Amino acid sequence: MKFHKSKDIIIPDSSHIGYFKLIDSLYRAIFQYMSPHDSELFKEEEYESLRKELGEEFNRLPKPQIIHNANFPDAQNLSADFLIDNIEQALNIWRKNGYKYPDDFDFFKEFILPYRTTDEYQPMKRTDIHNHFYSLFEKATDIYEILNCYKNFFSKCRWFNTYTTPQFHLGMYDLYLPRFKMDCHNMTNWSCKVFRAQGIPCTYEFTPQLIDQVNRHFWCVSPDSAGILQPYSAPYTNLGEEWKNGTCKVGKVYRRTFGAQKNIPYFLAGKNEFIPHLFNTPLLNDQTFRYHQTVTLHLPIKERLANNLAYLCMWDNGELSVVGWGKIDHKKKEIVYEQVPLNILFFPVYFDDRTMLDIAKPFMIYADVPLKEISLPFTTNISQHNPKNVTIIRENIVDYYNYKPIKELKYITLNCDTTLYSNLHLLRKYPVKPNLKMFRQQLKGAVVLASNDRQKGFDTLLTIKETPHPYLQEYKLENSKTYRFYRLSTSNGQPVNIAHIEFLSSSPQGNPYSTPTSLPIFHKNCKKEKENRMRIKGIPQNTGRNSEYAFDEDIFTYADATSSIEIEFRHPVQIEYIRLLPRNANNMIVPNNSYMLMYYDNGWKEFKILYAEHNYLDFEHVPKATLYWLRNLTEGKEEFPFFYINNQQYFLHVDKLPDYE
């Protein structure tokens, strides 16, 4: 208990507890015994008035008692009854699951026994949490069914609470509410407690920074049917779901432990050596090897340092974010970084007091294909006894013990030669997001239909045969008739995820019209064509929630809750073309915006500012650097560094590099 405490004390009012008991009762009355088929046919609109009443009732509840940054040590504030209850309940699980001593004891101590996850307040005994959720899981037969029950329960609870406007955290009851400040740390904290109370092995892991976003992420981990630890974001996903979809890309990964760990900065640092906040705790265990292929890097250094530790950082919007550590071997003049993942760019640093200083060139250990001798992600729970040890000789990666080159690995460093120059033709400032790409792929096979009767007689005028691009594009319709109703529908029932659509004709036939939105121009040799068609204006039809957003002239809104969108024209009209823009993040080059190009040369240096007239930028006579960064000075927040190889952008950590020289 020595290192454990509650950070914020949150004590819900009795009226809060009564409110959430009501939500539990509503779930049992409506959903608990509903079959999957009935759940699919469930008509949400029948309960709209009930949900609004619940929102009004919740919003009248008093503020809970909250003490921020209380930092109450457990040894002084937890009662004997609380601890005895936790131990007895945990031992019941030990006996029920048939754990063996000592084989399973270390696992038991971290995945079942802990009474807390991180720094959450402890208002409920384990028995109380068990009884609160027992009926939810009692018929589930494996971890997958358990997590599906958990997902469905809290999905419906948040649906009941659609119209609530929470302003404060409510401890465990945050799980019931729509997201506002309910970050993944909070969700993971309480989900771990819920699962452990039911005898489900669970622990908390996190990454200080994702490789494709400047964000942290936290999640739960439990063993699958084969005993392999798998990640999931409770209460939203099941074992491994988000990782298989590629929607959560992690850098370094750590487990928050209950027991103190010895081989970490908290104990390794010198007496007066500064420790970054992330690592100033004994309750961390490096688990990167389970998520990436990793090596132990012995990085040679020239400087003599008094420090015991050096660190690894990642790019953080032009700043550096500390994500890993290494031990300095003063005799061998090297830093030993363990569990260094392949294909991630790191900045080696050390601290002089609290000042961060570079200690070596930024580097990436790059591999085109997985290495056979290193465990693949999610294939083992135990790090290799003899990990692959490498070092650097003349910027080449060699085996640490025999100095033989390792051909499968390349050591990429950030260099800049200001005597050499490149011309850069740029189309984006941020990589394509996987979820947006998936939405566009779901449009493959979508059809444009037309009729003069909204209820019947629709003709097919177009089938989208390829995945649409992430920008405004034009499609020609096979159409020789006039129609009043035009509809775009997905072939798979998935939401259309359309941000903008226009219907074009060379003859308005009595309908109001305007000039179409110009198609993008991506190169100086492409000239804007003279428009000979008109954008025909009509009345958007209500085909489902958010269907109107495809017609609202705002590219940042989108029809994401309906499988079709439809428009009605005043008079039948022969639509010859459509122009559509799929849901996107507007991270391409935007006309009328100003951009600054940066390049890395022992720090970020400004090259030039250009004003975008079209959907591209041409920077000429740019110093030849390994890494560049394009900043939008007009609007937008998302930006990410990129390589420029063979006249093409390759975004860091996202795009597979070509044969790199």
Side-chain angles (χ1 to χ4, degrees):
M1 297 175 68
K2 176 181 177 182
F3 301 106
H4 295 278
K5 59 187 177 181
S6 295
K7 181 182 177 183
D8 296 335
I9 294 178
I10 302 174
I11 304 177
D13 184 82
S14 60
S15 58
H16 291 107
I17 297 171
Y19 176 83
F20 291 108
K21 283 184 178 178
L22 172 61
I23 298 297
D24 288 339
S25 298
L26 288 170
Y27 174 81
R28 287 193 296 271
I30 300 174
F31 295 111
Q32 186 165 5
Y33 303 106
M34 188 178 289
S35 69
H37 175 71
D38 290 340
S39 183
E40 288 181 8
L41 299 177
F42 175 71
K43 295 182 179 180
E44 297 184 353
E45 57 271 14
E46 293 180 5
Y47 293 90
E48 188 73 2
S49 60
L50 170 63
R51 293 193 297 162
K52 289 181 178 179
E53 288 180 17
L54 289 170
E56 292 174 1
E57 181 177 346
F58 177 88
N59 295 336
R60 288 194 296 266
L61 296 178
K63 178 182 176 181
Q65 181 182 345
I66 300 177
I67 305 175
H68 292 295
N69 298 313
N71 292 324
F72 271 32
D74 288 357
Q76 300 173 23
N77 293 280
L78 294 184
S79 69
D81 286 344
F82 179 91
L83 295 173
I84 291 169
D85 177 84
N86 186 81
I87 294 169
E88 288 181 345
Q89 290 296 322
L91 290 177
N92 287 338
I93 295 164
W94 172 279
R95 290 187 286 268
K96 180 179 178 180
N97 290 357
Y99 289 130
K100 306 293 184 183
Y101 184 86
D103 296 348
D104 301 319
F105 192 55
D106 287 340
F107 176 81
F108 173 76
K109 286 191 298 182
E110 290 295 339
F111 282 77
I112 295 291
L113 180 60
Y115 60 80
R116 69 156 62 253
T117 308
T118 61
D119 55 9
E120 72 280 4
Y121 180 58
Q122 308 290 318
M124 300 174 70
K125 294 180 181 179
R126 182 186 282 240
T127 298
D128 296 331
I129 298 175
H130 173 272
N131 293 341
H132 188 96
F133 291 102
Y134 175 73
S135 63
L136 185 65
F137 304 123
E138 61 180 334
K139 294 185 178 180
T141 58
D142 60 25
I143 183 65
Y144 296 97
E145 286 189 13
I146 288 168
L147 294 183
N148 279 335
C149 290
Y150 193 70
K151 286 168 55 179
N152 183 64
F153 173 70
F154 282 116
S155 172
K156 299 304 184 187
C157 288
R158 291 192 300 273
W159 174 76
F160 279 127
N161 287 301
T162 297
Y163 294 102
T164 62
T165 55
Q167 302 297 318
F168 310 99
H169 284 297
L170 288 168
M172 182 186 74
Y173 298 112
D174 283 356
L175 291 163
Y176 287 77
L177 298 170
R179 297 184 188 185
F180 78 117
K181 298 176 183 176
M182 319 309 194
D183 57 14
C184 49
H185 158 72
N186 201 32
M187 299 292 98
T188 302
N189 248 344
W190 284 101
S191 293
C192 280
K193 292 179 72 69
V194 170
F195 293 140
R196 287 171 180 165
Q198 304 302 324
I200 303 160
C202 184
T203 193
Y204 167 114
E205 292 184 350
F206 71 98
T207 182
Q209 188 164 317
L210 299 167
I211 63 173
D212 61 344
Q213 302 175 41
V214 186
N215 290 317
R216 301 176 299 167
H217 187 46
F218 311 83
W219 58 89
C220 295
V221 173
S222 294
D224 63 15
S225 56
I228 298 297
L229 297 174
Q230 298 282 357
Y232 55 101
S233 287
Y236 308 110
T237 61
N238 209 314
L239 290 191
E241 281 182 351
E242 63 180 85
W243 308 91
K244 293 175 183 177
N245 293 335
T247 57
C248 185
K249 298 182 180 179
V250 299
K252 289 286 291 181
V253 176
Y254 299 96
R255 177 178 299 160
R256 179 64 181 256
T257 63
F258 187 83
Q261 310 296 303
K262 297 300 182 183
N263 193 30
I264 62 174
Y266 188 87
F267 294 114
L268 297 174
K271 184 177 180 181
N272 297 312
E273 186 173 349
F274 172 73
I275 303 175
H277 176 73
L278 171 65
F279 299 119
N280 197 14
T281 174
L283 309 177
L284 286 181
N285 186 277
D286 195 342
Q287 293 288 308
T288 310
F289 73 93
R290 290 183 23 249
Y291 294 81
H292 296 278
Q293 288 200 310
T294 65
V295 298
T296 296
L297 172 63
H298 299 255
L299 184 66
I301 55 173
K302 297 178 181 179
E303 296 184 58
R304 289 189 175 274
L305 302 174
N307 300 42
N308 290 345
L309 298 168
Y311 295 89
L312 293 176
C313 296
M314 290 176 64
W315 187 86
D316 183 357
N317 257 348
E319 303 296 328
L320 295 180
S321 173
V322 179
V323 298
W325 77 84
K327 292 177 285 187
I328 297 176
D329 188 323
H330 298 282
K331 291 183 179 179
K332 296 182 179 179
K333 294 185 178 180
E334 65 182 22
I335 309 168
V336 183
Y337 291 113
E338 297 181 358
Q339 296 192 45
V340 178
L342 305 182
N343 301 332
I344 297 180
L345 180 70
F346 292 107
F347 296 75
V349 303
Y350 72 101
F351 284 90
D352 182 2
D353 193 13
R354 292 175 176 268
T355 303
M356 181 189 293
L357 299 172
D358 296 337
I359 197 171
K361 290 182 179 179
F363 70 86
M364 176 192 294
I365 300 176
Y366 184 74
D368 286 321
V369 296
L371 273 66
K372 295 180 181 179
E373 62 269 36
I374 303 176
S375 297
L376 292 170
F378 309 124
T379 59
T380 181
N381 296 336
I382 302 172
S383 59
Q384 291 176 274
H385 181 67
N386 295 309
K388 192 171 188 63
N389 284 261
V390 302
T391 189
I392 309 303
I393 297 179
R394 293 186 291 275
E395 297 205 354
N396 291 309
I397 300 179
V398 300
D399 187 282
Y400 181 68
Y401 297 108
N402 59 29
Y403 299 120
K404 290 183 179 179
I406 302 176
K407 297 180 181 179
E408 299 90 344
L409 299 177
K410 297 176 182 178
Y411 192 67
I412 298 175
T413 58
L414 298 192
N415 299 300
C416 182
D417 188 342
T418 55
T419 67
L420 298 175
Y421 300 95
S422 300
N423 294 331
L424 276 59
H425 179 72
L426 306 182
L427 300 176
R428 302 188 64 88
K429 65 180 178 69
Y430 193 84
V432 174
K433 297 180 179 181
N435 64 320
L436 297 181
K437 182 177 181 180
M438 178 186 69
F439 294 149
R440 289 190 287 110
Q441 289 171 340
Q442 292 172 352
L443 279 170
K444 185 176 180 180
V447 293
V448 174
L449 308 171
S451 176
N452 282 304
D453 183 339
R454 194 183 180 196
Q455 304 301 320
K456 59 184 179 180
F458 278 89
D459 297 325
T460 301
L461 308 182
L462 171 72
T463 300
I464 298 177
K465 297 181 179 180
E466 304 293 336
T467 299
H469 301 291
Y471 49 79
L472 187 69
Q473 57 225 275
E474 185 174 89
Y475 292 92
K476 183 178 181 180
L477 307 184
E478 296 297 327
N479 184 23
S480 58
K481 300 180 181 178
T482 60
Y483 300 93
R484 280 187 62 201
F485 297 94
Y486 287 81
R487 177 186 299 170
L488 184 144
S489 300
T490 59
S491 61
N492 47 21
Q494 294 293 323
V496 290
N497 280 295
I498 293 292
H500 182 73
I501 189 168
E502 299 180 3
F503 295 82
L504 278 56
S505 176
S506 56
S507 175
Q509 294 166 301
N511 292 287
Y513 62 90
S514 62
T515 303
T517 302
S518 298
L519 293 171
I521 296 176
F522 295 121
H523 198 278
K524 63 183 179 182
N525 294 331
C526 298
K527 295 183 179 180
K528 183 177 179 180
E529 296 183 3
K530 184 178 180 181
E531 293 287 1
N532 55 11
R533 294 181 290 274
M534 292 157 277
R535 175 185 174 185
I536 311 302
K537 295 184 177 182
I539 302 171
Q541 302 297 290
N542 183 4
T543 55
R545 186 163 55 90
N546 299 343
S547 60
E548 72 278 8
Y549 290 157
F551 305 94
D552 66 357
E553 309 284 337
D554 185 347
I555 65 170
F556 295 105
T557 62
Y558 38 82
D560 65 336
T562 177
S563 61
S564 66
I565 51 178
E566 184 176 311
I567 193 167
E568 177 186 5
F569 296 109
R570 182 186 301 171
H571 303 287
V573 58
Q574 181 184 352
I575 298 298
E576 300 156 359
Y577 293 84
I578 63 167
R579 289 183 183 176
L580 67 83
L581 173 67
R583 175 179 173 181
N584 71 99
N586 203 35
N587 281 321
M588 301 186 70
I589 304 303
V590 179
N592 305 317
N593 284 8
S594 295
Y595 294 83
M596 176 192 293
L597 180 66
M598 313 279 284
Y599 62 93
Y600 193 88
D601 183 14
N602 295 319
W604 290 103
K605 308 290 174 61
E606 177 183 342
F607 173 65
K608 192 175 184 179
I609 296 175
L610 287 182
Y611 175 82
E613 295 183 8
H614 300 293
N615 303 89
Y616 67 91
L617 293 167
D618 283 329
F619 289 94
E620 298 179 349
H621 213 60
V622 184
K624 191 172 182 60
T626 308
L627 202 65
Y628 300 94
W629 171 23
L630 186 64
R631 302 183 60 191
N632 187 323
L633 304 180
T634 305
E635 63 182 3
K637 297 179 180 180
E638 294 180 321
E639 302 160 357
F640 215 66
F642 58 90
F643 300 91
Y644 196 78
I645 305 169
N646 300 332
N647 300 316
Q648 186 172 338
Q649 287 177 275
Y650 293 88
F651 281 95
L652 180 66
H653 303 151
V654 176
D655 297 323
K656 181 176 173 59
L657 299 181
D659 291 337
Y660 194 89
E661 298 296 339

